[in-house]
Amino acid sequence: PTINLEKLGMRVAEYSHDLNTTLGAIAGKLGITRVSLWNKLCGKTRFYADELFMLADVLDCDVNDFRN
């Protein structure tokens, strides 16, 4: 299964906007840096499975929402 990074990025942006939070704050909840999260969202580095599950939990959605 492939992760749809565009869909994931839009979900993160909506969450950030709706809750008036930052990418750094979201990254902190995942235990990674803002730069690491940005690189993952841009496809420069891969997400680990546990990061995707934590991100889905933060965004209050299902990890399958990130699939193509």
Side-chain angles (χ1 to χ4, degrees):
T2 304
I3 298 301
N4 184 325
L5 292 176
E6 183 177 348
K7 190 185 290 187
L8 178 55
M10 290 181 72
R11 189 72 182 247
V12 168
E14 288 172 4
Y15 175 87
S16 178
H17 179 264
D18 291 348
L19 294 179
N20 196 31
T21 191
T22 64
L23 196 62
I26 296 168
K29 292 180 181 186
L30 303 178
I32 61 177
T33 66
R34 179 190 57 79
V35 173
S36 292
L37 179 55
W38 180 257
N39 285 335
K40 291 171 188 289
L41 291 172
C42 291
K44 292 181 180 181
T45 58
R46 293 179 179 254
F47 276 98
Y48 291 105
D50 62 327
E51 293 170 336
L52 286 171
F53 282 101
M54 285 188 292
L55 186 55
D57 189 47
V58 167
L59 300 177
D60 194 30
C61 64
D62 189 271
V63 72
N64 290 317
D65 293 344
F66 306 148
R67 288 183 161 174
N68 282 332

